[in-house]
Amino acid sequence: MGAAQRRVRWGIERRLEFIEFRLFWEGHVNRGDLMAAFGISINQASTDLNRYLGMAPGNMVYDKSARTYVRGDRFEPLFLKPDPASYLSQLSGATASSPCF
């Protein structure tokens, strides 16, 4: 884990991991995803997306027509060690009220 990740609180780090998880596996993420997964306000979701964008500017780009952030061409994971078996395991254990990552 890099210095940038060590400076953020655990709750914020979990939300940043979620953003990266969604970008990597699903190719997109938006404020509503964060709000639904963590029960946070629209302002907090916007702050988290902007924080992630500041930490990894090449990882996501805002698509105005879709009103969502999409995975950037220069995506480089900061928090994840992508593993398909782990992804499938997380999907099978996910519930409607828990974040899937």
Side-chain angles (χ1 to χ4, degrees):
M1 183 183 306
Q5 292 96 320
R6 278 181 263 158
R7 287 193 300 259
V8 296
R9 292 190 329 250
W10 182 82
I12 295 169
E13 185 175 338
R14 295 288 293 160
R15 295 192 303 267
L16 297 175
E17 287 175 8
F18 176 81
I19 291 167
E20 192 165 273
F21 178 90
R22 293 291 300 259
L23 288 169
F24 185 84
W25 292 109
E26 298 182 25
H28 59 88
V29 66
N30 62 33
R31 292 181 305 197
D33 297 330
L34 286 162
M35 292 165 60
F38 294 97
I40 59 174
S41 70
I42 195 167
N43 290 339
Q44 184 61 61
S46 294
T47 298
D48 291 337
L49 287 164
N50 285 322
R51 177 180 279 125
Y52 185 81
L53 190 57
M55 293 173 78
N59 281 5
M60 66 183 188
V61 178
Y62 190 70
D63 180 340
K64 290 179 185 178
S65 63
R67 300 181 72 187
T68 191
Y69 285 93
V70 296
R71 184 176 48 235
D73 293 336
R74 301 174 305 176
F75 184 86
E76 192 77 34
L78 293 176
F79 297 95
L80 294 178
K81 292 183 178 135
D83 172 36
S86 174
Y87 175 64
L88 293 174
S89 172
Q90 290 166 356
L91 283 179
S92 68
T95 65
S97 63
S98 67
C100 179
F101 65 96

